[in-house]
PDB file of all heavy atoms in Angstrom:
ATOM      1  N   SER A 115      42.612  15.907  -0.142  1.00  0.00           N
ATOM      2  CA  SER A 115      41.918  14.810   0.506  1.00  0.00           C
ATOM      3  C   SER A 115      40.466  15.193   0.739  1.00  0.00           C
ATOM      4  O   SER A 115      40.150  16.365   0.941  1.00  0.00           O
ATOM      5  CB  SER A 115      42.566  14.465   1.849  1.00  0.00           C
ATOM      6  OG  SER A 115      43.893  14.036   1.692  1.00  0.00           O
ATOM      7  N   CYS A 116      39.600  14.213   0.717  1.00  0.00           N
ATOM      8  CA  CYS A 116      38.193  14.396   1.045  1.00  0.00           C
ATOM      9  C   CYS A 116      37.797  13.302   2.011  1.00  0.00           C
ATOM     10  O   CYS A 116      37.767  12.119   1.639  1.00  0.00           O
ATOM     11  CB  CYS A 116      37.328  14.352  -0.208  1.00  0.00           C
ATOM     12  SG  CYS A 116      35.550  14.366   0.111  1.00  0.00           S
ATOM     13  N   ALA A 117      37.506  13.691   3.235  1.00  0.00           N
ATOM     14  CA  ALA A 117      37.065  12.754   4.257  1.00  0.00           C
ATOM     15  C   ALA A 117      35.550  12.685   4.243  1.00  0.00           C
ATOM     16  O   ALA A 117      34.872  13.707   4.351  1.00  0.00           O
ATOM     17  CB  ALA A 117      37.574  13.191   5.623  1.00  0.00           C
ATOM     18  N   ALA A 118      35.017  11.484   4.120  1.00  0.00           N
ATOM     19  CA  ALA A 118      33.586  11.279   3.964  1.00  0.00           C
ATOM     20  C   ALA A 118      32.995  10.565   5.166  1.00  0.00           C
ATOM     21  O   ALA A 118      33.641   9.720   5.788  1.00  0.00           O
ATOM     22  CB  ALA A 118      33.297  10.475   2.699  1.00  0.00           C
ATOM     23  N   SER A 119      31.747  10.898   5.467  1.00  0.00           N
ATOM     24  CA  SER A 119      31.024  10.220   6.533  1.00  0.00           C
ATOM     25  C   SER A 119      29.530  10.340   6.275  1.00  0.00           C
ATOM     26  O   SER A 119      29.087  11.150   5.461  1.00  0.00           O
ATOM     27  CB  SER A 119      31.382  10.800   7.907  1.00  0.00           C
ATOM     28  OG  SER A 119      31.028  12.169   7.997  1.00  0.00           O
ATOM     29  N   GLY A 120      28.747   9.517   6.955  1.00  0.00           N
ATOM     30  CA  GLY A 120      27.297   9.599   6.868  1.00  0.00           C
ATOM     31  C   GLY A 120      26.661   8.756   5.780  1.00  0.00           C
ATOM     32  O   GLY A 120      25.442   8.836   5.585  1.00  0.00           O
ATOM     33  N   PHE A 121      27.446   7.959   5.086  1.00  0.00           N
ATOM     34  CA  PHE A 121      26.925   7.058   4.064  1.00  0.00           C
ATOM     35  C   PHE A 121      27.899   5.916   3.879  1.00  0.00           C
ATOM     36  O   PHE A 121      29.022   5.949   4.400  1.00  0.00           O
ATOM     37  CB  PHE A 121      26.662   7.793   2.749  1.00  0.00           C
ATOM     38  CG  PHE A 121      27.892   8.365   2.102  1.00  0.00           C
ATOM     39  CD1 PHE A 121      28.513   7.711   1.048  1.00  0.00           C
ATOM     40  CD2 PHE A 121      28.435   9.559   2.547  1.00  0.00           C
ATOM     41  CE1 PHE A 121      29.644   8.239   0.443  1.00  0.00           C
ATOM     42  CE2 PHE A 121      29.564  10.097   1.959  1.00  0.00           C
ATOM     43  CZ  PHE A 121      30.166   9.434   0.900  1.00  0.00           C
ATOM     44  N   ILE A 122      27.463   4.902   3.135  1.00  0.00           N
ATOM     45  CA  ILE A 122      28.315   3.732   2.926  1.00  0.00           C
ATOM     46  C   ILE A 122      29.283   4.064   1.794  1.00  0.00           C
ATOM     47  O   ILE A 122      29.036   3.782   0.621  1.00  0.00           O
ATOM     48  CB  ILE A 122      27.481   2.486   2.623  1.00  0.00           C
ATOM     49  CG1 ILE A 122      26.417   2.275   3.711  1.00  0.00           C
ATOM     50  CG2 ILE A 122      28.385   1.257   2.529  1.00  0.00           C
ATOM     51  CD1 ILE A 122      25.448   1.151   3.408  1.00  0.00           C
ATOM     52  N   PHE A 123      30.392   4.648   2.175  1.00  0.00           N
ATOM     53  CA  PHE A 123      31.354   5.210   1.229  1.00  0.00           C
ATOM     54  C   PHE A 123      31.787   4.208   0.168  1.00  0.00           C
ATOM     55  O   PHE A 123      31.877   4.537  -1.018  1.00  0.00           O
ATOM     56  CB  PHE A 123      32.568   5.727   2.012  1.00  0.00           C
ATOM     57  CG  PHE A 123      33.686   6.258   1.164  1.00  0.00           C
ATOM     58  CD1 PHE A 123      33.662   7.559   0.703  1.00  0.00           C
ATOM     59  CD2 PHE A 123      34.764   5.451   0.844  1.00  0.00           C
ATOM     60  CE1 PHE A 123      34.700   8.063  -0.066  1.00  0.00           C
ATOM     61  CE2 PHE A 123      35.807   5.941   0.077  1.00  0.00           C
ATOM     62  CZ  PHE A 123      35.775   7.245  -0.382  1.00  0.00           C
ATOM     63  N   LYS A 124      32.055   3.000   0.572  1.00  0.00           N
ATOM     64  CA  LYS A 124      32.721   2.035  -0.300  1.00  0.00           C
ATOM     65  C   LYS A 124      31.906   1.616  -1.516  1.00  0.00           C
ATOM     66  O   LYS A 124      32.469   1.038  -2.456  1.00  0.00           O
ATOM     67  CB  LYS A 124      33.131   0.794   0.490  1.00  0.00           C
ATOM     68  CG  LYS A 124      31.967  -0.028   1.009  1.00  0.00           C
ATOM     69  CD  LYS A 124      32.473  -1.223   1.813  1.00  0.00           C
ATOM     70  CE  LYS A 124      31.327  -2.075   2.330  1.00  0.00           C
ATOM     71  NZ  LYS A 124      31.819  -3.235   3.121  1.00  0.00           N
ATOM     72  N   ILE A 125      30.598   1.886  -1.546  1.00  0.00           N
ATOM     73  CA  ILE A 125      29.773   1.456  -2.670  1.00  0.00           C
ATOM     74  C   ILE A 125      29.498   2.571  -3.684  1.00  0.00           C
ATOM     75  O   ILE A 125      28.858   2.325  -4.705  1.00  0.00           O
ATOM     76  CB  ILE A 125      28.435   0.863  -2.198  1.00  0.00           C
ATOM     77  CG1 ILE A 125      27.511   1.931  -1.623  1.00  0.00           C
ATOM     78  CG2 ILE A 125      28.679  -0.258  -1.192  1.00  0.00           C
ATOM     79  CD1 ILE A 125      26.113   1.418  -1.318  1.00  0.00           C
ATOM     80  N   TYR A 126      29.999   3.774  -3.431  1.00  0.00           N
ATOM     81  CA  TYR A 126      29.671   4.916  -4.281  1.00  0.00           C
ATOM     82  C   TYR A 126      30.856   5.410  -5.093  1.00  0.00           C
ATOM     83  O   TYR A 126      31.995   5.442  -4.611  1.00  0.00           O
ATOM     84  CB  TYR A 126      29.144   6.074  -3.435  1.00  0.00           C
ATOM     85  CG  TYR A 126      27.757   5.833  -2.893  1.00  0.00           C
ATOM     86  CD1 TYR A 126      27.577   5.390  -1.585  1.00  0.00           C
ATOM     87  CD2 TYR A 126      26.639   6.034  -3.688  1.00  0.00           C
ATOM     88  CE1 TYR A 126      26.302   5.163  -1.088  1.00  0.00           C
ATOM     89  CE2 TYR A 126      25.368   5.804  -3.197  1.00  0.00           C
ATOM     90  CZ  TYR A 126      25.208   5.369  -1.895  1.00  0.00           C
ATOM     91  OH  TYR A 126      23.949   5.147  -1.400  1.00  0.00           O
ATOM     92  N   THR A 127      30.564   5.830  -6.314  1.00  0.00           N
ATOM     93  CA  THR A 127      31.529   6.592  -7.093  1.00  0.00           C
ATOM     94  C   THR A 127      31.690   7.983  -6.476  1.00  0.00           C
ATOM     95  O   THR A 127      30.710   8.619  -6.099  1.00  0.00           O
ATOM     96  CB  THR A 127      31.060   6.715  -8.549  1.00  0.00           C
ATOM     97  OG1 THR A 127      31.065   5.417  -9.152  1.00  0.00           O
ATOM     98  CG2 THR A 127      31.963   7.639  -9.352  1.00  0.00           C
ATOM     99  N   MET A 128      32.934   8.438  -6.379  1.00  0.00           N
ATOM    100  CA  MET A 128      33.238   9.755  -5.837  1.00  0.00           C
ATOM    101  C   MET A 128      33.904  10.608  -6.905  1.00  0.00           C
ATOM    102  O   MET A 128      34.613  10.097  -7.770  1.00  0.00           O
ATOM    103  CB  MET A 128      34.157   9.644  -4.623  1.00  0.00           C
ATOM    104  CG  MET A 128      33.590   8.828  -3.471  1.00  0.00           C
ATOM    105  SD  MET A 128      32.102   9.571  -2.737  1.00  0.00           S
ATOM    106  CE  MET A 128      32.770  11.111  -2.115  1.00  0.00           C
ATOM    107  N   GLY A 129      33.676  11.909  -6.818  1.00  0.00           N
ATOM    108  CA  GLY A 129      34.220  12.808  -7.819  1.00  0.00           C
ATOM    109  C   GLY A 129      34.879  14.035  -7.233  1.00  0.00           C
ATOM    110  O   GLY A 129      34.654  14.402  -6.079  1.00  0.00           O
ATOM    111  N   TRP A 130      35.719  14.658  -8.054  1.00  0.00           N
ATOM    112  CA  TRP A 130      36.292  15.972  -7.780  1.00  0.00           C
ATOM    113  C   TRP A 130      35.856  16.932  -8.881  1.00  0.00           C
ATOM    114  O   TRP A 130      35.915  16.587 -10.074  1.00  0.00           O
ATOM    115  CB  TRP A 130      37.817  15.935  -7.721  1.00  0.00           C
ATOM    116  CG  TRP A 130      38.387  15.328  -6.481  1.00  0.00           C
ATOM    117  CD1 TRP A 130      38.816  14.057  -6.308  1.00  0.00           C
ATOM    118  CD2 TRP A 130      38.605  15.993  -5.232  1.00  0.00           C
ATOM    119  NE1 TRP A 130      39.293  13.870  -5.039  1.00  0.00           N
ATOM    120  CE2 TRP A 130      39.174  15.045  -4.350  1.00  0.00           C
ATOM    121  CE3 TRP A 130      38.383  17.287  -4.771  1.00  0.00           C
ATOM    122  CZ2 TRP A 130      39.522  15.357  -3.033  1.00  0.00           C
ATOM    123  CZ3 TRP A 130      38.722  17.596  -3.462  1.00  0.00           C
ATOM    124  CH2 TRP A 130      39.283  16.638  -2.615  1.00  0.00           C
ATOM    125  N   TYR A 131      35.447  18.123  -8.466  1.00  0.00           N
ATOM    126  CA  TYR A 131      35.104  19.211  -9.370  1.00  0.00           C
ATOM    127  C   TYR A 131      35.867  20.453  -8.948  1.00  0.00           C
ATOM    128  O   TYR A 131      36.395  20.521  -7.834  1.00  0.00           O
ATOM    129  CB  TYR A 131      33.600  19.495  -9.334  1.00  0.00           C
ATOM    130  CG  TYR A 131      32.733  18.441  -9.983  1.00  0.00           C
ATOM    131  CD1 TYR A 131      32.580  17.181  -9.417  1.00  0.00           C
ATOM    132  CD2 TYR A 131      32.048  18.713 -11.168  1.00  0.00           C
ATOM    133  CE1 TYR A 131      31.786  16.221 -10.010  1.00  0.00           C
ATOM    134  CE2 TYR A 131      31.244  17.759 -11.762  1.00  0.00           C
ATOM    135  CZ  TYR A 131      31.117  16.518 -11.178  1.00  0.00           C
ATOM    136  OH  TYR A 131      30.317  15.568 -11.769  1.00  0.00           O
ATOM    137  N   ARG A 132      35.916  21.433  -9.842  1.00  0.00           N
ATOM    138  CA  ARG A 132      36.555  22.695  -9.487  1.00  0.00           C
ATOM    139  C   ARG A 132      35.787  23.861 -10.082  1.00  0.00           C
ATOM    140  O   ARG A 132      35.115  23.724 -11.102  1.00  0.00           O
ATOM    141  CB  ARG A 132      38.019  22.723  -9.943  1.00  0.00           C
ATOM    142  CG  ARG A 132      38.218  22.684 -11.449  1.00  0.00           C
ATOM    143  CD  ARG A 132      39.693  22.533 -11.767  1.00  0.00           C
ATOM    144  NE  ARG A 132      39.956  22.516 -13.199  1.00  0.00           N
ATOM    145  CZ  ARG A 132      41.136  22.272 -13.740  1.00  0.00           C
ATOM    146  NH1 ARG A 132      42.188  22.021 -12.956  1.00  0.00           N
ATOM    147  NH2 ARG A 132      41.283  22.281 -15.058  1.00  0.00           N
ATOM    148  N   GLN A 133      35.926  25.012  -9.432  1.00  0.00           N
ATOM    149  CA  GLN A 133      35.220  26.207  -9.868  1.00  0.00           C
ATOM    150  C   GLN A 133      36.116  27.424  -9.671  1.00  0.00           C
ATOM    151  O   GLN A 133      36.515  27.728  -8.549  1.00  0.00           O
ATOM    152  CB  GLN A 133      33.918  26.386  -9.096  1.00  0.00           C
ATOM    153  CG  GLN A 133      33.048  27.519  -9.604  1.00  0.00           C
ATOM    154  CD  GLN A 133      31.666  27.494  -8.989  1.00  0.00           C
ATOM    155  OE1 GLN A 133      31.459  26.935  -7.921  1.00  0.00           O
ATOM    156  NE2 GLN A 133      30.705  28.100  -9.669  1.00  0.00           N
ATOM    157  N   ALA A 134      36.421  28.094 -10.764  1.00  0.00           N
ATOM    158  CA  ALA A 134      37.163  29.340 -10.727  1.00  0.00           C
ATOM    159  C   ALA A 134      36.182  30.501 -10.629  1.00  0.00           C
ATOM    160  O   ALA A 134      35.010  30.373 -11.006  1.00  0.00           O
ATOM    161  CB  ALA A 134      38.030  29.478 -11.974  1.00  0.00           C
ATOM    162  N   PRO A 135      36.635  31.660 -10.131  1.00  0.00           N
ATOM    163  CA  PRO A 135      35.728  32.809 -10.009  1.00  0.00           C
ATOM    164  C   PRO A 135      35.066  33.160 -11.333  1.00  0.00           C
ATOM    165  O   PRO A 135      35.732  33.258 -12.366  1.00  0.00           O
ATOM    166  CB  PRO A 135      36.652  33.930  -9.535  1.00  0.00           C
ATOM    167  CG  PRO A 135      37.756  33.228  -8.819  1.00  0.00           C
ATOM    168  CD  PRO A 135      37.972  31.954  -9.594  1.00  0.00           C
ATOM    169  N   GLY A 136      33.754  33.335 -11.306  1.00  0.00           N
ATOM    170  CA  GLY A 136      33.008  33.707 -12.491  1.00  0.00           C
ATOM    171  C   GLY A 136      32.746  32.590 -13.474  1.00  0.00           C
ATOM    172  O   GLY A 136      32.185  32.844 -14.545  1.00  0.00           O
ATOM    173  N   LYS A 137      33.145  31.369 -13.141  1.00  0.00           N
ATOM    174  CA  LYS A 137      32.962  30.248 -14.040  1.00  0.00           C
ATOM    175  C   LYS A 137      32.105  29.166 -13.390  1.00  0.00           C
ATOM    176  O   LYS A 137      31.903  29.154 -12.179  1.00  0.00           O
ATOM    177  CB  LYS A 137      34.314  29.664 -14.450  1.00  0.00           C
ATOM    178  CG  LYS A 137      35.198  30.626 -15.227  1.00  0.00           C
ATOM    179  CD  LYS A 137      36.473  29.960 -15.699  1.00  0.00           C
ATOM    180  CE  LYS A 137      37.324  30.904 -16.515  1.00  0.00           C
ATOM    181  NZ  LYS A 137      38.575  30.251 -16.982  1.00  0.00           N
ATOM    182  N   GLN A 138      31.613  28.260 -14.215  1.00  0.00           N
ATOM    183  CA  GLN A 138      30.808  27.161 -13.708  1.00  0.00           C
ATOM    184  C   GLN A 138      31.693  26.118 -13.038  1.00  0.00           C
ATOM    185  O   GLN A 138      32.914  26.091 -13.231  1.00  0.00           O
ATOM    186  CB  GLN A 138      29.997  26.526 -14.833  1.00  0.00           C
ATOM    187  CG  GLN A 138      30.822  25.820 -15.882  1.00  0.00           C
ATOM    188  CD  GLN A 138      29.981  25.197 -16.983  1.00  0.00           C
ATOM    189  OE1 GLN A 138      28.754  25.257 -16.946  1.00  0.00           O
ATOM    190  NE2 GLN A 138      30.626  24.604 -17.953  1.00  0.00           N
ATOM    191  N   ARG A 139      31.053  25.271 -12.276  1.00  0.00           N
ATOM    192  CA  ARG A 139      31.760  24.177 -11.640  1.00  0.00           C
ATOM    193  C   ARG A 139      31.978  23.056 -12.652  1.00  0.00           C
ATOM    194  O   ARG A 139      31.023  22.540 -13.238  1.00  0.00           O
ATOM    195  CB  ARG A 139      30.961  23.679 -10.431  1.00  0.00           C
ATOM    196  CG  ARG A 139      31.706  22.699  -9.561  1.00  0.00           C
ATOM    197  CD  ARG A 139      30.952  22.431  -8.259  1.00  0.00           C
ATOM    198  NE  ARG A 139      30.808  23.632  -7.455  1.00  0.00           N
ATOM    199  CZ  ARG A 139      30.298  23.653  -6.233  1.00  0.00           C
ATOM    200  NH1 ARG A 139      29.875  22.539  -5.668  1.00  0.00           N
ATOM    201  NH2 ARG A 139      30.192  24.805  -5.576  1.00  0.00           N
ATOM    202  N   ASP A 140      33.230  22.678 -12.849  1.00  0.00           N
ATOM    203  CA  ASP A 140      33.592  21.719 -13.884  1.00  0.00           C
ATOM    204  C   ASP A 140      34.074  20.403 -13.290  1.00  0.00           C
ATOM    205  O   ASP A 140      34.744  20.367 -12.258  1.00  0.00           O
ATOM    206  CB  ASP A 140      34.698  22.272 -14.780  1.00  0.00           C
ATOM    207  CG  ASP A 140      34.242  23.419 -15.657  1.00  0.00           C
ATOM    208  OD1 ASP A 140      33.052  23.450 -16.023  1.00  0.00           O
ATOM    209  OD2 ASP A 140      35.079  24.283 -15.989  1.00  0.00           O
ATOM    210  N   PHE A 141      33.771  19.344 -13.992  1.00  0.00           N
ATOM    211  CA  PHE A 141      34.246  18.019 -13.638  1.00  0.00           C
ATOM    212  C   PHE A 141      35.757  17.937 -13.785  1.00  0.00           C
ATOM    213  O   PHE A 141      36.327  18.416 -14.768  1.00  0.00           O
ATOM    214  CB  PHE A 141      33.572  16.986 -14.542  1.00  0.00           C
ATOM    215  CG  PHE A 141      34.169  15.614 -14.470  1.00  0.00           C
ATOM    216  CD1 PHE A 141      33.888  14.777 -13.403  1.00  0.00           C
ATOM    217  CD2 PHE A 141      35.012  15.158 -15.466  1.00  0.00           C
ATOM    218  CE1 PHE A 141      34.436  13.508 -13.334  1.00  0.00           C
ATOM    219  CE2 PHE A 141      35.563  13.889 -15.407  1.00  0.00           C
ATOM    220  CZ  PHE A 141      35.273  13.066 -14.337  1.00  0.00           C
ATOM    221  N   VAL A 142      36.404  17.299 -12.817  1.00  0.00           N
ATOM    222  CA  VAL A 142      37.839  17.065 -12.851  1.00  0.00           C
ATOM    223  C   VAL A 142      38.150  15.580 -12.968  1.00  0.00           C
ATOM    224  O   VAL A 142      38.889  15.152 -13.860  1.00  0.00           O
ATOM    225  CB  VAL A 142      38.539  17.648 -11.614  1.00  0.00           C
ATOM    226  CG1 VAL A 142      40.020  17.281 -11.610  1.00  0.00           C
ATOM    227  CG2 VAL A 142      38.359  19.156 -11.564  1.00  0.00           C
ATOM    228  N   ALA A 143      37.600  14.786 -12.063  1.00  0.00           N
ATOM    229  CA  ALA A 143      37.888  13.357 -12.037  1.00  0.00           C
ATOM    230  C   ALA A 143      36.846  12.633 -11.209  1.00  0.00           C
ATOM    231  O   ALA A 143      36.191  13.235 -10.355  1.00  0.00           O
ATOM    232  CB  ALA A 143      39.285  13.088 -11.467  1.00  0.00           C
ATOM    233  N   ARG A 144      36.692  11.349 -11.463  1.00  0.00           N
ATOM    234  CA  ARG A 144      35.852  10.511 -10.621  1.00  0.00           C
ATOM    235  C   ARG A 144      36.498   9.145 -10.508  1.00  0.00           C
ATOM    236  O   ARG A 144      37.312   8.745 -11.342  1.00  0.00           O
ATOM    237  CB  ARG A 144      34.428  10.385 -11.157  1.00  0.00           C
ATOM    238  CG  ARG A 144      34.307   9.674 -12.491  1.00  0.00           C
ATOM    239  CD  ARG A 144      32.840   9.502 -12.880  1.00  0.00           C
ATOM    240  NE  ARG A 144      32.677   8.771 -14.135  1.00  0.00           N
ATOM    241  CZ  ARG A 144      32.516   9.332 -15.317  1.00  0.00           C
ATOM    242  NH1 ARG A 144      32.481  10.655 -15.442  1.00  0.00           N
ATOM    243  NH2 ARG A 144      32.378   8.572 -16.403  1.00  0.00           N
ATOM    244  N   VAL A 145      36.130   8.427  -9.472  1.00  0.00           N
ATOM    245  CA  VAL A 145      36.646   7.092  -9.256  1.00  0.00           C
ATOM    246  C   VAL A 145      35.511   6.205  -8.753  1.00  0.00           C
ATOM    247  O   VAL A 145      34.769   6.581  -7.842  1.00  0.00           O
ATOM    248  CB  VAL A 145      37.853   7.100  -8.284  1.00  0.00           C
ATOM    249  CG1 VAL A 145      37.488   7.687  -6.922  1.00  0.00           C
ATOM    250  CG2 VAL A 145      38.441   5.708  -8.142  1.00  0.00           C
ATOM    251  N   THR A 146      35.356   5.045  -9.351  1.00  0.00           N
ATOM    252  CA  THR A 146      34.291   4.136  -8.968  1.00  0.00           C
ATOM    253  C   THR A 146      34.605   3.472  -7.639  1.00  0.00           C
ATOM    254  O   THR A 146      35.704   3.580  -7.098  1.00  0.00           O
ATOM    255  CB  THR A 146      34.082   3.054 -10.031  1.00  0.00           C
ATOM    256  OG1 THR A 146      35.214   2.178 -10.038  1.00  0.00           O
ATOM    257  CG2 THR A 146      33.887   3.658 -11.411  1.00  0.00           C
ATOM    258  N   SER A 147      33.613   2.754  -7.128  1.00  0.00           N
ATOM    259  CA  SER A 147      33.806   2.044  -5.872  1.00  0.00           C
ATOM    260  C   SER A 147      34.955   1.048  -5.946  1.00  0.00           C
ATOM    261  O   SER A 147      35.622   0.794  -4.941  1.00  0.00           O
ATOM    262  CB  SER A 147      32.515   1.324  -5.473  1.00  0.00           C
ATOM    263  OG  SER A 147      32.137   0.371  -6.450  1.00  0.00           O
ATOM    264  N   GLY A 148      35.195   0.511  -7.131  1.00  0.00           N
ATOM    265  CA  GLY A 148      36.276  -0.442  -7.327  1.00  0.00           C
ATOM    266  C   GLY A 148      37.610   0.171  -7.680  1.00  0.00           C
ATOM    267  O   GLY A 148      38.592  -0.560  -7.850  1.00  0.00           O
TER     268      GLY A 148
END
């Protein structure tokens, strides 16, 4: 879960990324406002 605050959450695309030790941060998934 990711709890968000401080902006108008409902109008923004949100994403998940992951980073393993020694590796770059990689895209996992995103979801649009809709």
Side-chain angles (χ1 to χ4, degrees):
S115 298
C116 173
S119 62
F121 64 100
I122 307 174
F123 176 84
K124 67 181 181 180
I125 70 172
Y126 288 99
T127 294
M128 300 296 297
W130 285 97
Y131 289 69
R132 65 187 181 187
Q133 187 169 23
K137 297 185 178 180
Q138 67 180 358
R139 190 170 298 186
D140 291 330
F141 168 77
V142 175
R144 65 175 182 264
V145 59
T146 69
S147 61

